[in-house]
Amino acid sequence: MAARWGHTIKAVLFQVHSMVGLVLALLVSLIALTGAIMSFEDEIVDHLNAGIMQVTPHQAPALMPDDLIARLKAAQDVGKVSAVTLSSDPAAAVHVRFARDEHGGRPTSLYVDPYDARVLGSPRGETFFATVRQLHRWLLVPGDGKGWGRPITGTIALGLIIMLVSGLVLRWPRRTSSVKMWLKPNFGLGGRGLHQSLHTVIGTWVLPVYLMMTLTGLWFSFEWYRDGVTWLLARPHVTAAKMPAKSPRGRAEPASQIGFDRAWMTFQREEGDRFSRALLTLPAGQGTAIRIRSWGKASLLETTRDEFRIDAVTGQLVSAERYADKTFGETIIAAIYDIHRGAILGWPGKLVFMAAAALMPLFSVTGILLYLSRRKLRRAAQPPLGRLVPGE
């Protein structure tokens, strides 16, 4: 009885695995390939733009952010500035980012000389990677993160989890002695046998990576998932701290009327020379609290950063979230993005995750070929209608 139930469960899982795989094959491959392309985005962009990211240090101090932006706007027609990246390195250029225009487009960012606001150039590769990122996260669906693209990619991730779990159950070895066969592909086979071996054996090897990608990818797609992970791993006050900070004076001035200088001076007093670079971002709507993300000089990951909110009008520190003060669970939450792309393990991890993502089309193609071959075998096993006699 138990064996029959086990056979029935596996038959159902096999059908679920096949149907979900057929429906999602193309989209899963597209998302995985775009993720693979972005694996070493930072290194590629830095290499392409090495000539405009550095300047000759001057004896005079660098311009304050508001003075730099004013000179930049006076020299040429640029859009509304939304963020600037400043560095403690006197030879580093300032990276200026712009808000979306009335048509929803975002102007290309600029690298600017911190001493005289001279434009050094626009970063090469930025537009390409921005498009790849939109395709990866939202499938280029209008609305970006606020449209239907985000829940669609999240649903695809849930479908991939179903395929991974069902595939693992279907493959689970009945005998310990079969583990070697379970993990070693047979390249001596041909046709359907080779497709089966590649699909199942290589799929077993990359399954942990795919699970890591999907479980962390859901963080960026669903609010309920993000809230659940935060409740599970973080201290109770962290969720409240994630809410946008309001100005302590209750003022609601448009972001276009506030500047960076007061917040920048407060940040420098707080951090001194401990930071290597800092990203200052103006509030998107009403409010005066500027968000500042800073990375220490020994920081190698995107997630090992401190985050401050400082009132741009008064210069008062609203909140400070330091990476060193996080609990173990909170460091996991902070590292979601780096876990998602394998960067938490350094460049070897990124390389492994990139290779696994690039292999996704292999499973889509072999899965479709196996489905078509099964249909062909079933048709061949059925007797021709003309040869049937009554009762058959």
Side-chain angles (χ1 to χ4, degrees), residues 345-368:
L345 302 175
W347 71 262
K350 292 170 69 172
L351 187 62
V352 169
F353 274 52
M354 181 186 72
L359 282 172
M360 184 62 78
L362 170 71
F363 306 110
S364 297
V365 171
T366 53
I368 292 173

Side-chain angles (χ1 to χ4, degrees), residues 157-190:
L158 290 173
L160 181 56
I161 291 176
I162 292 174
M163 286 191 289
L164 294 172
V165 174
S166 60
L168 179 62
V169 174
L170 292 169
R171 281 230 70 208
W172 198 261
R174 298 178 182 177
R175 301 182 305 276
T176 306
S177 60
S178 66
V179 171
K180 182 178 179 180
M181 183 180 299
W182 197 52
L183 298 176
K184 183 180 179 181
N186 190 346
F187 294 105
L189 298 175

Side-chain angles (χ1 to χ4, degrees), residues 6-21 162-163 165-171:
H7 179 76
T8 302
I9 292 173
K10 284 201 169 185
V12 172
L13 286 177
F14 182 76
Q15 292 299 322
V16 171
H17 184 87
S18 299
M19 291 301 102
V20 174
I162 292 174
M163 286 191 289
V165 174
S166 60
L168 179 62
V169 174
L170 292 169
R171 281 230 70 208

